Amino acid sequence: MSVAKVTEIIASSKKSFDDAVENGIERASETLKNITGAWVESQKVVVEDGKVVEYRVAMKVTFVLKD
């Protein structure tokens, strides 16, 4: 029997939402093993002087715990 855990993370990128997701998963995988999936709960942009300067995502990452 497997047991999974879900943790919430926030990641950012100067390029795009997709890049923010990639950054978040890459960083999470440094400390969380057996990541099996993730879903984006929300997206946000940071605006300065009328221009988007940063993309942020809040996501939940699922990983399987070792037996």
Side-chain angles (χ1 to χ4, degrees):
M1 178 176 99
S2 295
V3 176
K5 183 171 173 96
V6 177
T7 189
E8 186 171 6
I9 65 170
I10 298 170
S12 64
S13 168
K14 302 255 184 229
K15 295 179 187 176
S16 67
F17 288 119
D18 288 342
D19 195 50
V21 171
E22 292 283 339
N23 291 343
I25 295 298
E26 184 177 311
R27 174 58 184 88
S29 67
E30 291 177 15
T31 53
L32 300 175
K33 303 303 176 204
N34 303 319
I35 293 175
T36 60
W39 65 94
V40 175
E41 281 198 306
S42 65
Q43 298 177 324
K44 175 185 175 183
V45 294
V46 177
V47 177
E48 292 178 5
D49 297 323
K51 295 187 180 191
V52 174
V53 295
E54 188 173 42
Y55 300 85
R56 294 183 183 166
V57 293
M59 58 184 163
K60 292 194 177 187
V61 177
T62 304
F63 59 100
V64 176
L65 301 175
K66 286 187 175 181
D67 290 331

